[in-house]
């Protein structure tokens, strides 16, 4: 009887097939996030009814986490086109730099916006250059490294203030925009322990139509303080929206807030509205975004229907949502 000859082909078991499919999907996502999504800029548009009845709307462009390198042409072009949105006010919540040579690039990219009234606070990557980090440290596995490589933050501050933007770090500032009285107060980056809320502590006061708190990282202790002092709105960045996300949402926030608040608008405490920008850039050592497009935010403050009544935040109507294409 002839003996059956067996070939050398191996059989792939179901667990092996699932593993291979998972590896392939991860590799595809990495390539997509590196080559496309991290440069797929867009504008988040929201409407917040925080102004008193009868007040004219005020548009605020919120930019954060540029992490600029001098050669990033697509990012520079996007930032420059943001000037076409013609906001009433610009707020920058820090982490502008990824290189000690990037200050002129940031100033050039933001030049149309620097012609507008604005305010800013800095983040750690305005003071210190990014360094490679163990990605598992963001999951609490291993110790995070902190950079001590200085960046020219004083030059960046001078570039901003010489064009008229106000440094809100540990200061209370008053602005008049479209007839509305706006209070803006900020702290230095709480993620690196640089915040000194005591320098601005105390009731925000009734003499303003809206009160805005600025912080680079949305740490709960700072948000709680803004809420307790009567601020209406807090603007922050830092989280990158989770940056490397799953279809179901962010994996980490890299700060003390929960993942449901990692980007966009949410409620905080008794009366505070929180807006967290997913940011425009990323560390040069992690040049990838998945399920989290880079963004700037156009926030339109509108009148309440009646004094003391705040409707939930909503997208702008279609007629106002696309005043022009900037992406």
């Amino acid at each position: 009887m002839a003996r059956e000859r067996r070939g050398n082909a191996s059989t792939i078991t179901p667990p092996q097939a699932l593993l291979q499919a998972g590896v392939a999907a991860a590799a595809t996502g990495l390539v997509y996030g590196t080559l496309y999504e991290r440069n797929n800029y867009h504008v988040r548009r929201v409407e917040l009814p925080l102004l008193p009845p009868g007040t004219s709307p005020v548009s605020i462009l919120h930019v954060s986490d540029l992490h600029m390198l001098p050669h990033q042409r697509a990012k520079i072009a996007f930032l420059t086109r943001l000037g076409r949105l013609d906001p009433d006010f610009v707020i920058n919540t820090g982490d502008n730099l990824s290189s000690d040579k990037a200050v002129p690039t940031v100033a050039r990219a933001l030049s149309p916006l620097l012609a507008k009234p604005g305010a800013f606070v800095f983040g750690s990557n305005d003071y210190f250059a990014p360094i490679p980090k163990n990605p598992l440290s963001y999951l609490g596995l291993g110790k995070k490294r902190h950079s001590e490589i200085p960046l020219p933050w004083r030059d960046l501050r001078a570039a901003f203030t010489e064009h008229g933007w106000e440094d809100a770090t540990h200061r209370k500032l008053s602005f008049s925009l479209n007839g509305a009285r706006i209070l803006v107060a900020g702290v230095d980056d709480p993620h690196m322990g640089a915040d000194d809320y005591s320098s601005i502590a105390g009731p925000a006061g009734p003499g303003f139509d809206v009160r805005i708190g600025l912080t680079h990282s949305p740490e709960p202790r700072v948000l709680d303080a803004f809420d307790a002092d009567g601020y209406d709105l807090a603007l922050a960045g830092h989280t990158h929206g989770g940056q490397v996300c799953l279809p179901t949402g962010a994996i980490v926030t890299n700060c003390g807030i929960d993942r449901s608040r990692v980007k966009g608008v949410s409620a905080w405490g008794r009366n505070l509205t929180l807006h967290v920008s997913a940011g425009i850039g990323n560390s040069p050592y992690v040049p990838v975004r998945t399920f989290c497009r880079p963004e700037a935010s156009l926030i339109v403050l509108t009148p309440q229907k009646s004094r003391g009544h705040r409707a939930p935040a909503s997208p702008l109507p279609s007629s106002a949502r696309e005043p022009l294409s900037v992406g």
Side-chain angles (χ1 to χ4, degrees):
M1 180 182 293
R3 181 175 295 176
E4 182 182 357
R5 298 183 64 183
R6 297 182 183 273
N8 294 325
S10 60
T11 301
I12 299 176
T13 65
Q16 289 174 324
L18 287 174
L19 177 61
Q20 290 179 5
V23 171
T28 301
L30 182 63
V31 171
Y32 172 85
T34 301
L35 298 181
Y36 178 72
E37 185 161 341
R38 73 184 178 95
N39 295 313
N40 187 20
Y41 305 104
H42 78 125
V43 176
R44 177 188 296 275
R45 293 170 170 86
V46 294
E47 185 177 286
L48 300 178
L50 297 178
L51 293 170
T55 311
S56 297
V58 175
S59 61
I60 298 174
L61 185 67
H62 180 195
V63 296
S64 194
D65 298 88
L66 277 58
H67 292 284
M68 184 67 77
L69 293 170
H71 64 271
Q72 294 176 315
R73 295 181 180 178
K75 184 187 296 182
I76 293 166
F78 172 73
L79 289 168
T80 302
R81 290 196 298 270
L82 289 175
R84 301 178 191 174
L85 295 172
D86 194 25
D88 298 313
F89 196 58
V90 182
I91 286 178
N92 181 316
T93 48
D95 271 13
N96 294 276
L97 306 176
S98 279
S99 164
D100 60 359
K101 297 178 175 60
V103 171
T105 308
V106 170
R108 184 172 70 254
L110 294 177
S111 58
L113 298 177
L114 287 169
K116 299 288 184 178
F120 63 92
V121 293
F122 282 159
S124 61
N125 283 155
D126 295 303
Y127 301 116
F128 300 104
I131 58 174
K133 295 181 180 179
N134 176 5
L136 294 179
S137 66
Y138 292 96
L139 300 173
L141 303 174
K143 185 177 181 181
K144 284 187 180 180
R145 298 176 60 205
H146 297 284
S147 173
E148 295 182 356
I149 304 170
L151 287 173
W153 65 271
R154 293 178 181 84
D155 295 343
L156 182 64
R157 183 182 186 276
F160 286 172
T161 58
E162 286 173 8
H163 283 84
W165 281 12
E166 294 282 355
D167 185 351
T169 306
H170 300 145
R171 299 173 66 200
K172 288 184 174 182
L173 306 169
S174 176
F175 298 89
S176 178
L177 301 169
N178 290 352
R181 299 159 297 172
I182 311 291
L183 173 67
V184 175
V187 296
D188 211 344
D189 189 1
H191 192 67
M192 57 184 290
D195 54 308
D196 177 16
Y197 192 87
S198 65
S199 61
I200 59 169
F208 298 92
D209 295 311
V210 67
R211 295 152 282 268
I212 303 173
L214 308 185
T215 175
H216 173 66
S217 179
E219 301 295 345
R221 68 177 183 275
V222 175
L223 301 179
D224 287 344
F226 281 138
D227 182 44
D229 280 345
Y231 286 81
D232 305 292
L233 175 64
L235 302 181
H238 176 73
T239 66
H240 297 186
Q243 186 169 329
V244 181
C245 300
L246 299 174
T248 53
I251 302 170
V252 297
T253 66
N254 194 28
C255 63
I257 62 171
D258 53 274
R259 288 178 293 164
S260 66
R261 294 184 171 96
V262 72
K263 64 181 177 181
V265 177
S266 62
W268 187 276
R270 295 174 299 176
N271 296 300
L272 187 66
T273 298
L274 171 64
H275 179 270
V276 179
S277 170
I280 292 169
N282 46 263
S283 166
Y285 299 104
V286 191
V288 60
R289 279 179 179 253
T290 59
F291 301 103
C292 185
R293 291 174 63 185
E295 67 179 26
S297 300
L298 185 66
I299 302 168
V300 179
L301 305 183
T302 59
Q304 303 164 29
K305 293 182 179 179
S306 60
R307 185 168 295 276
H309 174 266
R310 296 184 184 179
S314 62
L316 293 180
S318 57
S319 60
R321 189 179 299 146
E322 298 291 346
L324 50 88
S325 175
V326 297

